Structure formats: C-alpha cells, structure tokens
Amino acid sequence: QVQLLESGGGLVQAGGSLRLSCAASGRTFSRGSVGWFRHAPGKEREFVAAILWSTSRNVYADSEKGRFTISRDNAKNTVYLQMNSLKPEETAVYYCASKYEYGLYGSGDLYDDWGRGTQVTVSA
C-alpha cells in the first residue's frame, strides 16, 4: 500500500496560483502513476491531471490545459500540481491518488490508494 499526503492548499484570490504537493511513501510504485482529483460539495469528483512516474508523460482535463502543470520528483517521491489563473469554481478538496500499474487514467475508480486531501478555496 502507498501512503499519500497532500499539502499546499489554502485560500487564494481568483487569478492567483497555488502549488500542491503529494508526498508518497510505502510500496514502491515506480511503474505506476499518480493522479490529482478534486471534489466540491454537491458535485461529482473530477479528474484534474495524472503523471507517470517512469517517463513524466502526463494528461490533463480539458479545462486545466495551459493553466495547470503536473510534475514529479522521483528522488523525493513527490508529485506536484502547479495551478495558475485559478477560478472560484475550482474551489474544492484536492486529492492525489496512486495507481500501481503503468498507465494514465482519468477515472478515480481505477486508482489504488488515496490521500486525505487538501482544501483549495478560490475567492471571487
């Protein structure tokens, strides 16, 4: 099992930036991937971005392309999500999740382990 710990959330004004971190420990998962998701009250969980540990190949939700950047530091076992030009409707709890097997997936149901999340609040 992989333990994931998110950090970096907070309150930011619309148009501002935040960088989220997802620190991983436990089972080695160099062949797998990490994804970021968000969940706002009254809404379904949304896929944000995902990255492969081995190659840094990544994928984004359409609404995040050009504004968000996902990256990883293998030495630190940490995945980052740089979020720029944030919008109020992106207020949510942001979660990272890991998948043991190789591949990039947008469905949270396909991931194996989850962190507890970090709150991001974007004020208008």
Side-chain angles (χ1 to χ4, degrees):
Q1 187 177 9
V2 176
Q3 289 79 45
L4 302 169
L5 181 62
E6 302 95 336
S7 62
L11 174 64
V12 64
Q13 289 186 336
S17 300
L18 283 173
R19 188 177 82 154
L20 306 183
S21 299
C22 173
S25 61
R27 172 177 171 166
T28 300
F29 54 108
S30 59
R31 290 175 54 84
S33 61
V34 170
W36 282 99
F37 295 80
R38 63 187 176 213
H39 194 185
K43 297 183 179 179
E44 294 186 355
R45 182 177 59 196
E46 289 184 291
F47 169 74
V48 177
I51 189 167
L52 288 172
W53 279 104
S54 57
T55 67
S56 282
R57 180 185 168 198
N58 52 59
V59 63
Y60 297 89
D62 288 342
S63 58
E64 271 65 60
K65 289 180 181 177
R67 297 186 301 119
F68 289 13
T69 302
I70 190 170
S71 62
R72 94 278 190 263
D73 184 332
N74 285 21
K76 295 182 179 180
N77 276 350
T78 300
V79 171
Y80 303 98
L81 183 68
Q82 176 68 43
M83 305 186 295
N84 299 327
S85 301
L86 282 161
K87 306 173 183 178
E89 55 266 36
E90 292 171 330
T91 293
V93 177
Y94 283 68
Y95 299 89
C96 64
S98 70
K99 179 161 179 64
Y100 303 150
E101 297 178 352
Y102 185 89
L104 292 170
Y105 301 93
S107 171
D109 293 342
L110 297 176
Y111 286 77
D112 300 298
D113 297 299
W114 290 78
R116 294 187 175 183
T118 184
Q119 176 71 46
V120 171
T121 302
V122 185
S123 62

